[in-house]
Amino acid sequence: MVVRKHISFGALLLLLAALAAAPLFAVFVQTFFRDGSFSLDTFLATLQHGRVLSTMRHSFLLGLYVIAATTCIALPLALIRTKTRLAKHDWLDLVFTIPFMTPPYIGSMGWILFMQNNGYYEQLFATAAPSSFFSIAGMVFIMSMHLYPFLYLMLKNALVRMNGSFQDAALVYGTNPISNWVRVVLPLLLSSYVMAALLIFIKTLAEFGTPATFGKRIGYPVFTTEIHQYLSRWPVDIPAATSLSFVLLGVCMAVWYMQSLVSQKFAYGIHSGKSSMQTRQVKSLPITVCAYLFTGVILLLSIGIPYFSIVATSLLDVRGDGLSWSNLTFSHYVELFSFQSSGYHAFMNSVGFAFVAASIASLLGFFTALYVKNASSKRQKLIDLTSLLPNIVPGIVFVVGLILFWNASWLPATVYNTKWMPILTYIVLFLPYSVQYTKAALSQLDQSIDHANSIYGPTAASILVRVWLPLLAQGVLAGWIMTFIISMRELVSSLLILPPSVQTGATFIYSQFEQGNVSLGMAMAVVTVLMTVVFLYVVEWLQRKALVKQHG
């Protein structure tokens, strides 16, 4: 590959290792080494602490509950989108991704505002909201409303790809339609379901936003909130934070290993070019009505209610006066974008940090993707694995490692406590997006391009600028956009690594919510969500354009 003329395997591996592997090594050293010698004492003492054991139990139970709840939402939706008249409405897939792309802490705040005492539920229905909502059941509900699109898309895509001959054979030899579904279709879905469920389990364990807002309110500590507490409250307990981080890392790595085993051993060829299940739709009126009702309820619960709460709160002049036309104002948005306001500075910090991080990550992802290509050699596989580590490891573990690594006494200089620290953190956490989007664009190119470059290319630099960059521009841009919008909304790393007196949009929303100035915080949340939706649409448009070009 042409990139190997510009950067050696050793240089690329060293760069990626310094970004991704070194922080994890720092966590390992801090957990298991004392005074230069290996020791399990601190790690075992942390695990024996009653609060830590309770936290681990809370986290595992939460993960299992969320898997069960997302299954009850995603499986019916997948069937509805492939077996009913709603199958033709492809725009629904984009709508269903909105909850997943909405920062979890914002969705959680929306539900808190709706269900709390004198909240919007009470104002709209003139009765108190059920107090049982503020419980582990409510927390599972909120997290499921955020994560169900992930499982839904996996199951729906598996159903769409499923070979129609399986259903034909089942109809010929099966006893009844329900038996056919149980004995034929569901086993074929098992591989996709287990893989997605395990990933949801990891995402639940690694989630910080909802546990930090809703979980804190009901007294339900989990891995991420406990690690954050050990590092953010005096006295700082670094050994406890790293020990708990290592436990979280170990659990997630084990689940990732299980996921890889499932994908290898239980994958089936379910597509052969014949008719798909999508062509055989159930057109019964009762089923169609139920499908529309179920879809509408899910959209109302996952998008309508939390977004209503967020927007309404951002427009209230005096929160205590409740919902009324006379109590609506845009003053919070005016204050937010006043040049001297703290909200404006926080927003511009978010834009600046995210822009720089996305640009550097896109450049690094471009070179990494060109080197890795199809990962056919051991060196390519090693580079690929190193670049994708942040997708496997929970973000808060990386943040702890970055804090430890960049505070090491042997470093001649450090970016810690400077504005480069959040930029570096965003690059590390979200580099996989740039790599994956560029690799996806690269996989669509014919091998002959590489051969032609080798023969006719004047210089390696010319080939990079005049051939590969234009061909991969859509993938690079899509990776840049995803890195930008996720960096804009990142919360847990920003809370832990921002320099003193520096805020981003995410920390501004969190602090305003905690301090009671909710309307101003929700105005920032509305702006953040709007930017996310717009950029998400741009990424979707780029992908459609690339698909049309590929088949055109």
Side-chain angles (χ1 to χ4, degrees):
M1 287 298 292
V2 65
V3 73
R4 295 171 195 167
K5 300 177 182 178
H6 284 266
I7 185 168
S8 66
F9 163 77
L12 188 57
L13 180 63
L14 182 62
L15 179 59
L16 292 175
L19 291 173
L24 300 182
F25 183 72
V27 172
F28 176 81
V29 171
Q30 182 66 38
T31 304
F32 295 109
F33 283 83
R34 286 291 174 271
D35 300 323
S37 60
F38 182 81
S39 174
L40 291 173
D41 295 343
T42 302
F43 182 70
L44 294 177
T46 301
L47 293 185
Q48 293 170 2
H49 194 282
R51 184 174 176 86
V52 172
L53 293 175
S54 176
T55 298
M56 293 171 61
R57 183 173 64 254
H58 285 171
S59 299
F60 293 143
L61 287 175
L62 182 64
L64 295 176
Y65 292 153
V66 170
I67 288 175
T70 52
T71 302
C72 294
I73 301 169
L75 182 57
L77 278 180
L79 295 176
I80 287 170
R81 282 283 292 115
T82 54
K83 291 291 290 178
T84 72
R85 293 178 179 178
L86 280 171
K88 62 184 179 181
H89 298 301
D90 292 335
W91 58 269
L92 280 171
D93 285 352
L94 181 60
V95 176
F96 283 138
T97 61
I98 293 176
F100 188 65
M101 293 304 297
T102 301
Y105 58 92
I106 292 179
S108 176
M109 291 173 184
W111 273 105
I112 291 173
L113 292 169
F114 191 81
M115 299 297 290
Q116 66 185 0
N117 289 334
N118 199 33
Y120 297 117
Y121 182 98
E122 186 173 337
Q123 295 179 44
L124 292 173
F125 301 108
T127 182
S131 59
S132 59
F133 181 81
F134 288 95
S135 63
I136 177 60
M139 188 170 174
V140 170
F141 169 78
I142 292 174
M143 298 188 78
S144 301
M145 285 295 116
H146 170 67
L147 290 172
Y148 82 84
F150 184 81
L151 180 58
Y152 154 74
L153 289 174
M154 291 280 285
L155 294 177
K156 183 244 181 180
N157 289 336
L159 286 170
V160 168
R161 296 194 308 269
M162 194 172 291
N163 185 354
S165 61
F166 292 120
Q167 280 285 7
D168 296 337
L171 290 173
V172 173
Y173 297 103
T175 56
N176 58 71
I178 296 178
S179 177
N180 293 338
W181 272 93
V182 173
R183 300 176 62 183
V184 178
V185 177
L186 293 184
L188 291 174
L189 286 178
L190 185 61
S191 175
S192 296
Y193 171 75
V194 172
M195 287 189 291
L198 291 175
L199 292 177
I200 286 176
F201 186 78
I202 292 176
K203 289 179 178 296
T204 302
L205 294 186
E207 176 55 43
F208 175 79
T210 302
T213 51
F214 193 91
K216 180 180 178 180
R217 189 183 182 104
I218 65 173
Y220 196 87
V222 294
F223 277 122
T224 51
T225 53
E226 285 297 280
I227 293 170
H228 176 262
Q229 181 171 305
Y230 284 134
L231 291 175
S232 60
R233 293 186 179 180
W234 186 261
V236 175
D237 194 342
I238 293 179
T242 57
S243 297
L244 203 55
S245 297
F246 198 82
V247 173
L248 177 57
L249 173 61
V251 171
C252 290
M253 294 298 287
V255 174
W256 270 105
Y257 179 71
M258 292 170 58
Q259 188 261 358
S260 65
L261 289 181
V262 170
S263 64
Q264 292 173 9
K265 293 186 177 181
F266 299 98
Y268 304 100
I270 59 176
H271 180 66
S272 66
K274 297 183 179 181
S275 61
S276 68
M277 294 177 61
Q278 191 174 5
T279 60
R280 292 189 297 273
Q281 298 173 6
V282 179
K283 297 183 179 181
S284 166
L285 181 60
I287 292 179
T288 301
V289 172
C290 290
Y292 274 90
L293 285 175
F294 185 83
T295 303
V297 168
I298 295 301
L299 291 178
L300 175 67
L301 295 176
S302 61
I303 300 176
I305 289 177
Y307 275 51
F308 165 78
S309 300
I310 294 165
V311 174
T313 304
S314 72
L315 295 174
L316 290 183
D317 188 13
V318 180
R319 285 190 62 217
D321 292 347
L323 288 172
S324 65
W325 290 110
S326 60
N327 195 32
L328 299 183
T329 179
F330 286 98
S331 61
H332 303 298
Y333 291 93
V334 175
E335 180 182 351
L336 186 65
F337 290 103
S338 299
F339 291 150
Q340 301 303 318
S341 70
S342 58
Y344 176 79
H345 289 293
F347 179 78
M348 293 309 296
N349 282 336
S350 286
V351 172
F353 295 160
F355 181 87
V356 176
S359 300
I360 297 175
S362 296
L363 182 63
L364 183 57
F366 173 70
F367 280 98
T368 302
L370 280 177
Y371 190 97
V372 169
K373 200 180 178 183
N374 57 3
S376 56
S377 70
K378 291 183 178 180
R379 288 188 171 189
Q380 289 172 312
K381 291 178 181 178
L382 181 58
I383 293 292
D384 194 29
L385 175 62
T386 306
S387 69
L388 296 180
L389 271 178
N391 256 0
I392 303 173
V393 179
I396 195 167
V397 177
F398 259 112
V399 174
V400 172
L402 287 166
I403 292 173
L404 294 173
F405 178 75
W406 289 102
N407 273 296
S409 57
W410 52 267
L411 286 176
T414 180
V415 297
Y416 189 73
N417 259 350
T418 71
K419 290 187 177 182
W420 279 101
M421 188 65 185
I423 293 173
L424 177 66
T425 304
Y426 299 157
I427 293 171
V428 172
L429 293 180
F430 309 126
L431 174 63
Y433 290 97
S434 296
V435 176
Q436 291 298 86
Y437 275 100
T438 307
K439 282 173 60 179
L442 185 62
S443 67
Q444 299 170 4
L445 302 181
D446 193 270
Q447 186 70 26
S448 61
I449 297 175
D450 202 9
H451 299 156
N453 288 335
S454 302
I455 298 173
Y456 298 106
T459 64
S462 177
I463 293 173
L464 275 176
V465 175
R466 300 176 60 184
V467 179
W468 289 115
L469 190 56
L471 288 173
L472 301 177
Q474 287 185 341
V476 173
L477 180 58
W480 186 95
I481 291 173
M482 290 300 296
T483 304
F484 179 83
I485 62 176
I486 297 177
S487 299
M488 280 279 298
R489 55 182 245 188
E490 171 60 22
L491 177 62
V492 61
S493 62
S494 301
L495 286 173
L496 289 172
I497 49 82
L498 282 175
S501 72
V502 175
Q503 281 191 309
T504 62
T507 60
F508 180 83
I509 295 169
Y510 184 79
S511 63
Q512 296 301 311
F513 189 82
E514 291 289 298
Q515 295 167 12
N517 192 7
V518 182
S519 294
L520 189 59
M522 291 303 99
M524 178 73 81
V526 171
V527 174
T528 301
V529 169
L530 284 176
M531 290 185 65
T532 300
V533 173
V534 170
F535 281 122
L536 179 63
Y537 176 80
V538 172
V539 171
E540 181 75 12
W541 176 78
L542 288 173
Q543 291 176 334
R544 289 201 308 268
K545 185 177 179 181
L547 190 62
V548 170
K549 183 181 295 185
Q550 181 183 2
H551 295 285

